[in-house]
Amino acid sequence: MRDTVMMSEMSWSEYDRRLKDGALLLLPCGTIEQHAHHLPLGVDKLLPTRVCQEVAGRLGAIVADPIVYGCKSQPKMGGGQDFVGTTSLDGATYFNVVRDVLREFMRHGARRIIVVNGHYENMMFIMEGIDLALREARYDDIRDVTVMRLEYWDYIRDATLATVFPEGFPGMALEHAAVIETSLMLHFFPDLVDLSRMPEDEAPAAFPAYEIFPSGKRWVPPSGSLSPARGASAENGRLIADDSVSGIVRDIAAEFAVAPR
Amino acid sequence: MRDTVMMSEMSWSEYDRRLKDGALLLLPCGTIEQHAHHLPLGVDKLLPTRVCQEVAGRLGAIVADPIVYGCKSQPKMGGGQDFVGTTSLDGATYFNVVRDVLREFMRHGARRIIVVNGHYENMMFIMEGIDLALREARYDDIRDVTVMRLEYWDYIRDATLATVFPEGFPGMALEHAAVIETSLMLHFFPDLVDLSRMPEDEAPAAFPAYEIFPSGKRWVPPSGSLSPARGASAENGRLIADDSVSGIVRDIAAEFAVAPR
Amino acid sequence: MRDTVMMSEMSWSEYDRRLKDGALLLLPCGTIEQHAHHLPLGVDKLLPTRVCQEVAGRLGAIVADPIVYGCKSQPKMGGGQDFVGTTSLDGATYFNVVRDVLREFMRHGARRIIVVNGHYENMMFIMEGIDLALREARYDDIRDVTVMRLEYWDYIRDATLATVFPEGFPGMALEHAAVIETSLMLHFFPDLVDLSRMPEDEAPAAFPAYEIFPSGKRWVPPSGSLSPARGASAENGRLIADDSVSGIVRDIAAEFAVAPR
Amino acid sequence: MRDTVMMSEMSWSEYDRRLKDGALLLLPCGTIEQHAHHLPLGVDKLLPTRVCQEVAGRLGAIVADPIVYGCKSQPKMGGGQDFVGTTSLDGATYFNVVRDVLREFMRHGARRIIVVNGHYENMMFIMEGIDLALREARYDDIRDVTVMRLEYWDYIRDATLATVFPEGFPGMALEHAAVIETSLMLHFFPDLVDLSRMPEDEAPAAFPAYEIFPSGKRWVPPSGSLSPARGASAENGRLIADDSVSGIVRDIAAEFAVAPR
Amino acid sequence: MRDTVMMSEMSWSEYDRRLKDGALLLLPCGTIEQHAHHLPLGVDKLLPTRVCQEVAGRLGAIVADPIVYGCKSQPKMGGGQDFVGTTSLDGATYFNVVRDVLREFMRHGARRIIVVNGHYENMMFIMEGIDLALREARYDDIRDVTVMRLEYWDYIRDATLATVFPEGFPGMALEHAAVIETSLMLHFFPDLVDLSRMPEDEAPAAFPAYEIFPSGKRWVPPSGSLSPARGASAENGRLIADDSVSGIVRDIAAEFAVAPR
Amino acid sequence: MRDTVMMSEMSWSEYDRRLKDGALLLLPCGTIEQHAHHLPLGVDKLLPTRVCQEVAGRLGAIVADPIVYGCKSQPKMGGGQDFVGTTSLDGATYFNVVRDVLREFMRHGARRIIVVNGHYENMMFIMEGIDLALREARYDDIRDVTVMRLEYWDYIRDATLATVFPEGFPGMALEHAAVIETSLMLHFFPDLVDLSRMPEDEAPAAFPAYEIFPSGKRWVPPSGSLSPARGASAENGRLIADDSVSGIVRDIAAEFAVAPR
C-alpha cells in the first residue's frame, strides 16, 4: 500500500493506529472558482491540500480530503458569483459540512485538528462551523478538543514579498489569480498552468469602498484575475511555499508541542 | 495545460467553452468510509470518480470534482457509523450540498448532468438533493434541465458476475469491501490495496431482518468487510469496470442522443 | 373505555401505567401514495398500522398513531411524484418528524421503541431521524434507549412466496400496488379494495438502470401499479400477514426478552 | 369500495376525479395530548377529523388524513409539556409539515383548501405553514389558491353555551379536557370516554398573567383537565357539534360559493 | 457615563458586575408594524421597551435591547402582512433569534430572565424560542435558569378598563392602534403621535370566525386601526402604564423574591 | 409628529409616501459586544445608526431600525465570545434576519437599499443574507432591486488618519474599542463614554497568524480593547464622522443618481 499522508488512502485501521499514536489531523478547505484563463478552477483546493501534505510530511500528521466546494465568491475577493465555473455552496450548507466533518473527526478520537483554508470567502463560515462543532462536542461532554485555523498565505515573510514583488507588495486584497497563486501553481502544479493565456495587460481591479448586489462583473477585469500575474514564477512559488509550509509547521509544533522531523 | 476531463483542472473559460459546445457534466458522489484493512477509506470516492473519467473520455464529457464526504454508513450497507475513519455528513447537510452544486451547474448553463454514485447510503439523499435543485430551477424558470442518476455497480452484466463469482453471485447486499470493490481497486488503484491485510477467513455478515439503533458493530465482521473478498483480482476488476463504463456510456448516449467516440 | 392497543385511544394515565409496566412502543410509518385504481391512497399507512396492532396484541405493546405523510415517491419504488394523490414531505421535514416524535417517546419514559415502516422511500429518512433522536438523547444523557426498525414485508417466508407466486417470485422491486399489497388489503380491509378496477392487463414496469429527473411517468404503467396484481387474494393476504406478524413478534420477543402471549 | 369522504380511502383516480369536479379539500390538524384521565390522548385529532367528515358529507368535500402530531402543549392551553403522553413536534417541524402537505395538495390541483384545527397551540404555526406554502406557490406562479383556516370551537352559538353552561360560560380559556371536549367525545366517540375517571372535584386551574419556563405543572390540576367537566353530556356534545358543523358548512358555502346538500 | 438600565449603554464590566450582584434581566420583544396613520411603525417595540425601563428602575434590573423585528402580522391581530411598513421575520428566524439571545444571556450568567412582549403575534414563537434555549441549556447542563414571559397589557386592571372605556370594554381583540396603544403612546411618546390623523369615523373591524389566505385587507379598516381610538388620552395612558408597570413589578418581585425599591 | 428620518417613528402611510417619492432606505447593522471598560456594549449598533441618520438627513433617505444583535465576536476582531455582555446570534440566524428584513423592504416597494455595517464579523453574513434575499426576489420576479453594502470606517481619508494617528496609523485590524470608536463615541454619544475607565497602559493585542478554538481570551487584553485608545478625542471623532458621512453620501448619490441636499 502506498506510503501516504492522505487519510483517504489509508485503511481505517491504519488511520486509527496513527490517531492513537498521536498524529495531528489537517483539513484543507478550498473551492472551485474561476482563476482567470491561465489557472484551473481548482486552485483554491489544490494549494491548501498540497501545503497540508508538505506540512504533514514534516509532522507525521494526517491530511483529510479537502472540503472541495466552498463559499460564494465575492467580487472583491475572487471575482464574484457571475463567472461560469465558480461553484459555491450556500453559507449554511458550508458551515454544516465543516461542523459534520469535525464532529466525525472527534468521534474518531482526533483531538488536535488544523483547518487550512485556501479560499478567503470561506473564513468566517469555517469559524461558524468550528463553533457549531465545538458546541456539539460540549453537549457530548467532549472538552479536550483543540481546533487550529489559518490561511496559508498569512505565513509569507516580508523578505519573500520583497523578492516576489520587487516594485513593492500592493497588499493581499487583489491577489486573486495573480502573482502569488500563479507562482504557487507553477511550483506545485506546472502542468495545470498555461502562461500563454495569462491576461498580462489587464489593469488591476479598482473597487469602490462599497459593494453592489446583484454584483455582476462591473469592477472585475474580464479575465477574472484581480491583478496581473506579471512576475509570477516557479521560483517565486517555491519561496512562498517554503514560507507557508515552514511557518505553519513551526506554529503547529509550538502550539501542540510536537517536534517536526 | 494538461489535457483533462476534470472540471477543476480546466480554466473557467475552457470549461465554459466545452459546456457551450454541448459537453455533458458528470458528478461523482462518494464518501470516506471504512473498507476493511486491505482497502483505503476513499474507495467510494475513488471508484465513481474513475468510472466517470473513463465515461467522460468516451463522450467528451466533463467530470466535476466528487462530493467526497457522504451519508451516514448503515451497518447492513457499509458497516455502520461505529468505525473509526468513516466520515459522514448529516442527511440534510448532504442533500443541501447536492442541491447547491447542481444549482451552480445550472447557473453555468449545464442542462444535462449525470450523477454517478459510489456509496449506497447516498442514494435517497442524492434524489432529495436533485428534487430540491429542480424545484429551485423551476422557481427560476429553468425548465430544460435533465439530471440522470445511477449507481455504477448496476451495470455489471450477468456474464461478468458468473465469471467473478464462479460459485454463484450471492447478491449485491454484502458487497462492501468485498470481491467487487477489491477487484475494481486492484484494477484501477493497485498501489492503494494491501492484499496481505485482506480478512480472508471472516464469515460474511449475517444480519437479521431488522435493525437496531444505536447500531454498534453487533452483526458486522471485525474487519468491516461484509463478506470475504476471496477471488478478487485486477482481471475481475477490469471486467467489472468495462461493464460499468460501457453500460453507462451506452445509456448516456442513448438518453442524451450523443455519440460515443 | 374501549380496550385498545392504540396510544391515542388511551388516557395519559393509562399510557403512563403501561409504559411503567414495561410495555413496548410501536410506531408505524407510512404515507399517502397512489396505489393504482383498485387500492386506496392510504395503503402504506393502513398496512403497517394494522400489522403493528396485531403484533402489539400478542406482546402487550402500545401502538402510536402512524406518521401518516411520508417521503417522496420514487418512480421505481412507488410510481413517483407525478401522480395526483401522492402526498409527500420534504426529506428534512420527514426525519424531523421522526426525531421529534421519538424525542417525546423518550421523554415519556419509553426505552424500547419499534418503528415499523410500510413505505420503502421512508427507510433512509427514518434512519436519519432515529440517528438525530439518539444524538439528542445522548446530549440529554439518556443512554438506555433501543430503537428497532424494520419493513414488514421482509418477514414473508419463502414458502409463502412460493404459494403466492406460483410462477416464481419476481422480487420485491415491482411489488407496488401489486400482489402482496393487494392481498394484504383484501385480508385486512376488503371494503377498501375494488378488484373491478384492478389493471390486470398492464405490463409490469421495465425500468432502466438509471433514473431521470424530472421523473415524470415515462416508465410507470398508467395505473400506477408497478406490476399486475393477478393472483392477489384475501387468503394470500392472510398468509403474508401471518408471516409478517409472527416474524416481527418473534424478533421483538427475542431482541427485548419479552414473552409473546 | 367503501363510500367515503376520506382521501386516504379513495384511489388516486377517484380523488383526482372529485378534485377535477370541484370538490373542496379539508385538512384536520390535531395533536396527541393528555386530556385528563377520562379522555383519550387523541381528542384533538379525533374531534376536528370528525367535524371535517360531517362537514364534507354536506358539501361533497374530501377530507385528508389529519396531521396527527401537533405543536408543543402550553400549560395555560393544554397542561404543558410535562405530561407523559403529550407528543409534540418542534415548531419548525410542524409548520414544515403543513407547508409540505399544502404544497402537495396544490400540485394535485386543489385550489380551495380548508384547514380545521383542534389544538389551540397549533394556530400560529398553521398560519406560518400556510404562509410558507403560499410563498412557494407564488414562486411556482400558482396564484389562484385560497386557504381557509379555523378552529371548530369558534362556531358554538351563544344559545348553546347558555344551555351547556347553565351557570354561565366562563370562557374558552380553561376548556381543556373540560365540558366542551368531554361532551363532544361523548357524542362522537362514547366508547373512548370513561366518565368514572373524570376528575370532578378538582378546582379549575388558576394561572397568573405570566408564564414560567421550564413550565412544570405548577398551576395545572393533577389530572391535566384545566377545569372540571361537570355537566358534560352526549346531548350537549350533539348541540355543540351541530353548531360547529352547520356554522362551518355555512361559512365555507358562502366563501367558496358552493351549495350544501 | 449615563446612569442607565439599558444593557447596551453599560460597559461589559458594569453589566457583569450588576449580573453578579443579582440583577434580573428584562428582554422586550416588539415589531415594526403599521399602527394606522396617527401612530408610528415602532409602537410595538417602543411600548414594551419603555415598560421594561420603568419596571427595571423599580427593581434594579437590566433591560436588554429589544428584539425589534417580530413575527408576521395577522389580519385579526394587527392588520396583516399587506400593509407597507409592516416588517416581519419568518417564524423560524424569529424563534432562533430568541433562542440565540437567551443562550447568550445564560452564558453571561443570567439565570432570571423576563421576556416582555408587545406584539401579540410573537407570543407562540417566543415560547418556542424559550423552549429551544432551555433545551440547549439542558444539553449544557445549565439547569438553574428561569424564564418568565408576559404581555404587558394583561396587567391592566378592570377598574382602569372601566375608566378608559366608559361605554364598556369590548375586549382586547380589536385593540390594535386603538384606545390602549394610542393612550400609552400619548403618555410615553407624545411627539410620536399625530392625533389629527386618527381615523375617528372608521367602523371597527368585523372579522368572521375563520381566516382566509392570502389574507389581503378584506376585513381590515383602511387605516389599519382595528377599532377607533376615540377616548384615547395621555391620562388614560398613564393609568394603563401604571397598572402594567406596577403589576409586572409585583409579579416579578414575588416570583423571584426580590424587593422593589 | 416628530420630524424624523427613522422608519419606526413614521406612520406606515408617511413611510409609504416617502418610498413612493423615491426615498432611499438605509439599514444599519451592529451588535451588542464588549468594548472595554470605557465604552458601552452598544457601540457597534450606535455608530452605524448615527452615521445612517446623518447620511439620511443629507439625502432625504429613511433609516430602518438597526439589526441590533449581530454575529459572533472573533478574538482578533472584537475580543471573542468569551466576554460577558457580548451577545451574538448563530450565523444562520443572522443571515436569515437580514434576508427576511430585506424581503419585507422589497415588498414595501423599496428598490434602493443601503446596508451600513458597524461590526466587522457581520460582513460575510450580511452578504449571505443579501444573496438569499435577492434569490427570493428573483423567484418572485422582482429584478429591479439594488442593494449597496459598506462598512462606515472604510470612508476615513488618509489625511484624517494622519491627524488622528500622529505616530502613524497601525491599520484597522486592532481598532476595536480603540482610537476610532472611542473618538466617534466622544463625538456622538459623550455621555456614554467614561474616559476614566479607559485601559491606557495595556499593550495592544498581538495575535499569531492562526486562531485557536475554543478561543478563550488568550491573546486578548483583559479590558477587551485590542489596542489603547490613547489620542481619542471628540474632535478626532468629528473628523472621522465627517469623512464617513460625506464619503457615504457621495457614493450613494453617485450610485443612485440622487442629489444630496
Side-chain angles (χ1 to χ4, degrees), chain C residues 100-166:
Chain C
D100 290 3
V101 169
L102 292 178
R103 183 203 293 129
E104 287 289 69
F105 293 164
M106 292 189 268
R107 180 176 63 74
H108 301 163
R111 289 296 177 269
R112 302 182 300 179
I113 303 166
I114 300 100
V115 182
V116 176
N117 183 29
H119 175 58
Y120 186 82
E121 288 92 327
N122 287 344
M123 190 177 72
M124 298 302 291
F125 297 90
I126 289 174
M127 296 207 278
E128 182 74 15
I130 294 172
D131 186 71
L132 297 180
L134 290 177
R135 181 187 293 165
E136 291 202 16
R138 217 172 55 224
Y139 294 164
D140 254 337
D141 297 318
I142 299 173
R143 293 175 191 277
D144 57 345
V145 173
T146 302
V147 181
M148 191 176 184
R149 200 205 70 78
L150 57 90
E151 274 81 35
Y152 71 81
W153 53 74
D154 284 332
Y155 284 86
I156 312 176
R157 291 175 308 131
D158 289 345
T160 301
L161 289 172
T163 305
V164 173
F165 296 90

Side-chain angles (χ1 to χ4, degrees), chain E residues 23-80:
Chain E
L24 304 165
L25 185 54
L26 300 169
L27 175 66
C29 290
T31 201
I32 300 297
E33 187 188 36
Q34 70 82 14
H35 275 75
H37 307 311
H38 65 298
L39 295 177
L41 287 160
V43 165
D44 285 0
K45 167 200 74 166
L46 291 163
L47 292 179
T49 305
R50 186 61 172 263
V51 166
C52 280
Q53 289 168 332
E54 304 267 327
V55 167
R58 298 206 205 162
L59 290 168
I62 302 167
V63 180
D65 264 39
I67 300 180
V68 172
Y69 295 101
C71 292
K72 288 164 190 162
S73 182
Q74 298 298 340
K76 289 184 183 179
M77 304 169 189

Side-chain angles (χ1 to χ4, degrees), chain D residues 10-48:
Chain D
M10 299 171 194
S11 71
W12 75 267
S13 34
E14 172 66 12
Y15 168 71
D16 185 39
R17 188 188 62 72
R18 292 201 201 180
L19 273 189
K20 285 194 170 65
D21 287 352
L24 303 166
L25 185 53
L26 300 169
L27 174 66
C29 291
T31 201
I32 300 296
E33 187 189 38
Q34 70 81 15
H35 276 75
H37 307 309
H38 65 296
L39 294 177
L41 286 161
V43 165
D44 285 0
K45 168 200 72 166
L46 292 163
L47 292 178

Side-chain angles (χ1 to χ4, degrees), chain C residues 218-229:
Chain C
R218 184 165 155 196
W219 292 287
V220 180
S223 73
S225 177
L226 295 192
S227 62

Side-chain angles (χ1 to χ4, degrees), chain E residues 75-77 79 173-174 202-208 218-221 224-228:
Chain E
K76 289 184 183 179
M77 304 169 189
L174 298 185
E202 273 183 353
F207 293 105
R218 185 164 154 197
W219 292 288
V220 181
S225 177
L226 295 191
S227 62

Side-chain angles (χ1 to χ4, degrees), chain A residues 2 10 16 23 39 45 51 61-62 69 82 101 136 148 155 171 194-195 197 201 210-211 223 249:
Chain A
R2 187 189 298 175
M10 300 171 194
D16 186 38
L39 294 177
K45 167 201 75 167
V51 166
I62 302 167
Y69 295 100
D82 283 271
V101 170
E136 292 202 15
M148 190 176 184
Y155 283 88
D194 180 354
L195 286 181
R197 307 205 61 221
D201 46 358
Y210 58 91
E211 281 138 344
S223 72
V249 166

Side-chain angles (χ1 to χ4, degrees), chain B residues 28-47:
Chain B
C29 290
T31 201
I32 300 296
E33 187 189 37
Q34 70 82 14
H35 276 76
H37 307 310
H38 64 297
L39 294 177
L41 287 160
V43 165
D44 285 0
K45 167 200 72 167
L46 291 163
L47 293 178

Side-chain angles (χ1 to χ4, degrees), chain A residues 128, chain E residues 93 96-97 100, chain F residues 27-31 67-72 88-100 115-119 121-127 129:
Chain A
E128 182 73 16
Chain E
T93 307
N96 285 333
V97 172
D100 290 3
Chain F
L27 174 66
C29 290
T31 200
I67 300 180
V68 172
Y69 295 100
C71 291
K72 288 165 191 163
S88 313
L89 305 182
D90 277 3
T93 308
Y94 190 73
F95 60 62
N96 285 334
V97 172
V98 174
R99 177 199 63 189
D100 290 3
V115 182
V116 176
N117 183 29
H119 175 59
E121 289 92 328
N122 287 344
M123 189 177 72
M124 297 302 291
F125 297 90
I126 289 174
M127 297 207 278

